[in-house]
Every structure is written in structure tokens, then in C-alpha cells.
Amino acid sequence: MSQPETLNQAFELGYTYTRSTGPVIGRFLTALKNRKIVGIKASDSRVIVPPMEYDPDTAEELSEFVDVGEQGEIVSFAWVKEPRESHPMQVPFAWAMIKLDGADVPMVHCVAAAAESDIATGARVRAVWADETIGFITDIRCFELV
Amino acid sequence: MKDIAIVAYQQSDSVSDAGAVNEVELIMPVLARTFEQAGLNSAQDVDFVCSGSCDYLQGAAFAFVSGVDALGAVPPIKESHVEMDAAWALYESMLKIRMGHADSALIYGFGKSSPGDLPTVLSQQLDPYYLAPLWVDSISLAALQARLMLDKGLITERDMAEVVSRSRRNAMNNPHAQLSGDISVEDVLAEETFLSPLRKADCSPISDGASAMIIATVDQAKAWGLPYVVISGIDHCIETHNLGMRDLTDSVSTRMAANHAGMNAGKVDVAELYAPFSHQELILTRALGLDKETQVNPSGGVLAGNLMMASGLSRIGEVFNRIVKGEAQRGIAHATSGPCLQHNLVTVLEKGENA
């Protein structure tokens, strides 16, 4: 009796859909791809970066975009002596809340610095862009001290 | 409206690594002791069961369903789950009773954090576009919060060390504590920073374990003949996920929840606060306006052992224990979730008959 033919079918695990990031987050990520940073005006006119879709206090839908600078000021920082495997840098660095020029609300990102003593609240930083920008928050590779 | 009371509470030891013991095996002994305390045999003897856990800790979707194996769910039981700390499972159970769909409920929470890197796992609860891709961990975010307070002069490193010292000393009387000892403020300050400005001692340990509670209407508690503690109020409030939009040096949502729960209607003898980092206990104490009349975290709090998804329920259980022992008449318990105290629940507990 002959062996039954083995049925084969190629299979690639993958998602058959793409996800839209929408008009607000999408606009921010598209701007990053173009090496620009945009924020949005809250109900009380404060500029939020990265932009939010709705005002957290009034629940108002937000739509007024504002270009902000790629430099800013450190509002708070945490010095990471021993980076975790998943962290964006594998040498000591800082996480920081950074208020960009033209923004009122600080954003969280990482800051490259040689030593903890080099960094301080109030220090000026500027965005360092990734070699290739793809429309992701990591298009800003990190911030560096000015 | 039916008054609701706690009649039993148990928790496991808080251990840094439970080894080969799986989640079901962590839960089962705790449930057995809880049923024994209430004079019940099994989950068949309560009207509703609700658990709290996090699938991210186990790394598999619907991993919480395996927890039901600890209950023996045949014949079928009415069961629910929250992907949150079990303090929120208590909240759901109270709604169930208030709606008249149950007169009693079993609540349990469990977490085995040791297999993964917990601070990294928690980074994945953050904003999926702006923060999660950066893998910013929970300790780093707490460190940002602590520095804001230090820079503004709201606290000093010594204030933080005092919280650590008191917690470790209080934990010497807590048989389930993971970290306890006679540690002075100077001992803490002598430690080098871990994730500056935080020292390791400022951070709660990573723990494995479970806790469980049985609640019932006061009428049911009386019928069972058990000492009970009345839950006179419970509420929870959440703040925006945008850390930059929050005042991280205050806890507005905790204060709102406490006001809604009726905390200020009487004296607070004891408060158990879920503060995973030392500076957060200071934020909470101030946000709630607690003074020297209130004993804060006599158990040692979560700096002595932090059972993810169970320690919020344990705070409530600890206050229940104090009131049953006669050490307090009235107390509050606080539970938290999310980065930098984003989401907060406050429960007010008062002595019932026989307690």
C-alpha cells in the first residue's frame, strides 16, 4: 500500500490588517518621520506634546496643532546606572521629562549624558534623530545636552 | 441599601521567588485558610467569586482562567475577573451584592512576578504609541516623580528614608513580610542610589504570593455568626495617562476617592496605603490629610512585600485584621494601579458587632 500524500501548505504568521493611528497621533508620528515635532492646544490653550486626542480635564476633542522646537528644558530626570535589556541605551543614561520650546506640558524621553553629574533639572537638551525615520516615537533616538 | 462587611481575610507569605510553585498552587492554600476562617467548605458556599490578576505577569492571554482551577468550579459557580488588583475585584463584588444578585462573595488576587522583569513588564501598560515603545520602566517613572518632589522642596531624602525605616521596623511584626528589620534612617541614607534619586530601599521588593477575602451582607455575616467589619464606603478615581498633564507631586484622585468614600465622616485610627515607593507614601498621607492620630502602614506596607494584583486587597485585609483584633475602631485602606499613582481606590472600614 502506498503512503498517503502529505498535504503541504505554506503559512506565514502575520497580521492581515494595518492599524491607523488616527488624525492626531498619526499627525505627530508623520511629523516625526519628517523630523519635525508637533503639539496640540488643550482647552486651556496649553500646548501638549506629544498631542492628545481629547483634553483630559474637559474631554473636549482637540484639533489645533502647533509646531514646537526640537530643543527644550529638563523638568525632571532619573539616572539609570544599569540599563535594562529593553532600554533604548545600553550605557548609563537618563529618563527625563522634557518641556520643548513652545510646549507647556513635558514629554517623557531618554537623554544621553556621560555622567549623572552632567545632567540637572533645568538643563537644555535637543532631539537627536534616528538615521532613518519611520514615523515612530523612537525616530527621536534620544535627547542630548546642548 | 444592604450594608456589606468583611468576614474573612488571609494572605500568603510574600516571597521573592516561589520557585516551581505555580499560580494555582499559590492560591489554593490561601483559599483553604479563608474558607476555614469563615466556616465554609468551598466556593459553592458563596454566591459570587471575583479575582484580580494580570496576564502580562504570566505572559499568556487568558492566563487568569487557570486560577479558577484553585476554586473547583464544578458544579458551576458565578465567577468574574478583573485585570487589576483584587481591590477592584472587591469593588465589583460589592456592586454585585448592592444590585441584589448576591449576598456573599469570595475575592482573591494573585501574582507571580519573579519569572519576568517586572519593571519592564509594567512598561507595557503605558501609552502604546508614546511610551511603551520606549520601554520606560515603572521604577524610572517613580524616580522622575521623586525628583520633582525633591526639587520643589516638598520632601527630602531623609523624609523618604524615614518611611523606609518605619516600614521595615513595622514589618517585623508582620509574619508575611518579605523585607523587615531594625534599619535606621542613617542606614538607608548610607545606601548608594539605585535609580537616582531612588535607592533600592525606596522601592518595594518584587514578590510572589496571593491573598483572599470573603465579604457578605451584614445580615449574612450575622447568620454565619462571624465577627465582621463593615465596609462603610468605597470609591476609585483615575487620572490621565499623560504623565506631563498630571501634578505628580499630589494625588488628586486619591483625595477625591477618599471624599466620595466618606473618609472624613469620622476619626481614622489606621491607614494602610499602597505606596510602592517611599515618596509615594508621603504624597498619599498628605493628599489624604492624615495626621499623627492615624497609624500609617502598621503592617510595613508594600515596601515590606509587594504582591502585584493582591497587595491592594491586602491593604484592606490588614485594616480588617486591626479592627477585628480591637486595635482600631475605624480605618481606611488605599489601593493603586498604573504609573506614579495614576488610579486609586479608597475603602473605609468600621467595626461591626462582635468584631
Side-chain angles (χ1 to χ4, degrees):
Chain A
M1 201 176 143
S2 63
Q3 287 293 317
E5 187 191 352
T6 307
L7 297 174
N8 280 297
Q9 175 65 51
F11 177 73
E12 188 185 339
L13 178 64
Y15 299 103
T16 55
Y17 58 89
T18 52
R19 189 161 157 186
S20 165
T21 48
V24 175
I25 295 166
R27 178 140 167 189
F28 171 76
L29 295 176
T30 302
L32 288 185
K33 197 174 173 184
N34 298 322
R35 298 172 192 253
K36 297 231 180 316
I37 304 174
V38 299
I40 203 163
K41 272 195 181 172
S43 300
D44 61 3
S45 290
R46 278 190 295 171
V47 175
I48 310 172
V49 182
M52 296 177 81
E53 291 168 322
Y54 298 93
D55 187 286
D57 294 323
T58 64
E60 186 192 342
E61 193 172 351
L62 304 178
S63 60
E64 197 180 333
F65 291 90
V66 183
D67 289 330
V68 298
E70 56 179 64
Q71 290 198 17
E73 181 185 308
I74 291 180
V75 173
S76 182
F77 71 96
W79 183 251
V80 183
K81 277 184 192 168
E82 296 170 31
R84 292 171 192 273
E85 217 174 289
S86 53
H87 278 166
M89 279 179 253
Q90 290 305 303
V91 292
F93 71 99
W95 290 110
M97 297 178 81
I98 299 159
K99 191 154 79 177
L100 293 174
D101 297 341
D104 296 297
V105 173
M107 66 181 287
V108 174
H109 215 294
C110 54
V111 176
E116 184 180 358
S117 54
D118 290 348
I119 193 167
T121 302
R124 297 279 303 167
V125 291
R126 81 171 140 246
V128 178
W129 296 97
D131 294 338
E132 190 193 355
T133 51
I134 56 171
F136 224 58
I137 189 69
T138 46
D139 285 352
I140 301 173
R141 182 194 289 155
C142 63
F143 283 81
E144 64 182 7
L145 294 161
V146 175
Chain B
M1 199 160 62
K2 290 175 179 174
D3 282 335
I4 299 169
I6 303 171
V7 296
Y9 165 74
Q10 296 289 329
Q11 84 154 77
S12 69
D13 289 345
S14 187
V15 297
S16 65
D17 186 351
V21 174
N22 68 24
E23 283 79 0
V24 173
E25 291 165 329
L26 280 174
I27 302 162
M28 284 190 76
V30 177
L31 290 186
R33 283 192 278 126
T34 309
F35 290 131
E36 189 188 350
Q37 185 182 1
L40 304 177
N41 291 316
S42 71
Q44 301 294 332
D45 297 335
V46 291
D47 298 334
F48 183 61
V49 179
C50 196
S51 60
S53 71
C54 176
D55 282 357
Y56 277 67
L57 296 183
Q58 282 156 284
F62 290 89
F64 71 89
V65 176
S66 69
V68 179
D69 284 347
L71 295 168
V74 176
I77 57 172
K78 287 180 188 162
E79 190 267 348
S80 184
H81 174 262
V82 294
E83 192 74 9
M84 308 176 85
D85 188 286
W88 277 269
L90 168 69
Y91 188 89
E92 179 177 336
S93 300
M94 289 193 60
L95 294 182
K96 198 83 173 173
I97 294 175
R98 285 272 158 82
M99 287 187 294
H101 295 170
D103 282 326
S104 60
L106 166 71
I107 299 111
Y108 65 97
F110 59 98
K112 190 177 178 191
S113 300
S114 61
D117 182 41
L118 182 64
T120 301
V121 171
L122 292 176
S123 75
Q124 297 309 290
Q125 74 181 335
L126 302 169
D127 183 303
Y129 304 105
Y130 298 158
L131 292 176
L134 296 174
W135 298 89
V136 53
D137 63 276
S138 50
I139 302 174
S140 297
L141 293 177
L144 292 174
Q145 182 181 36
R147 191 179 304 277
L148 282 172
M149 301 199 64
L150 291 165
D151 281 351
K152 284 189 182 170
L154 296 170
I155 57 168
T156 63
E157 292 189 26
R158 174 166 285 271
D159 295 334
M160 293 164 69
E162 278 170 3
V163 171
V164 176
S165 171
R166 175 170 41 75
S167 298
R168 296 280 182 91
R169 282 173 174 156
N170 285 349
M172 290 166 77
N173 296 315
N174 178 354
H176 302 299
Q178 183 177 336
L179 295 180
S180 63
D182 188 12
I183 290 170
S184 70
V185 171
E186 277 67 31
D187 292 336
V188 175
L189 289 173
E191 198 183 290
E192 63 173 296
T193 57
F194 164 55
L195 213 156
S196 175
L198 297 178
R199 294 172 169 81
K200 268 200 174 151
D202 290 311
C203 311
S204 53
I206 289 170
S207 317
D208 294 345
S211 64
M213 177 180 283
I214 293 174
I215 64 169
T217 59
V218 166
D219 290 342
Q220 179 67 73
K222 285 179 178 168
W224 281 338
L226 295 167
Y228 62 88
V229 170
V230 176
I231 302 173
S232 64
I234 187 167
D235 193 34
H236 66 115
C237 297
I238 192 167
E239 295 173 44
T240 171
H241 63 279
N242 187 336
L243 290 157
M245 294 287 277
R246 289 173 50 193
D247 178 1
L248 294 177
T249 67
D250 189 11
S251 185
V252 178
S253 52
T254 299
R255 188 161 49 244
M256 281 174 72
N259 287 338
H260 296 162
M263 180 189 101
N264 297 315
K267 188 167 165 278
V268 180
D269 299 324
V270 61
E272 281 282 343
L273 308 177
Y274 195 155
F277 299 91
S278 61
H279 66 278
Q280 294 179 343
E281 187 189 297
L282 299 165
I283 295 174
L284 292 168
T285 306
R286 292 171 189 183
L288 291 167
L290 299 177
D291 58 23
K292 290 205 168 79
E293 296 221 320
T294 303
Q295 196 187 7
V296 174
N297 287 350
S299 69
V302 295
L303 290 180
N306 184 22
L307 301 177
M308 289 307 296
M309 308 298 144
S311 272
L313 183 68
S314 293
R315 306 276 62 70
I316 300 162
E318 288 287 348
V319 174
F320 164 77
N321 281 345
R322 302 277 154 196
I323 295 176
V324 167
K325 279 186 203 158
E327 294 170 12
Q329 296 283 316
R330 187 171 183 274
I332 62 152
H334 158 265
T336 197
S337 178
C340 302
L341 305 173
Q342 184 194 2
H343 188 183
N344 298 285
L345 178 144
V346 176
T347 309
V348 182
L349 302 168
E350 296 183 16
K351 187 180 185 318
E353 288 169 37
N354 310 322

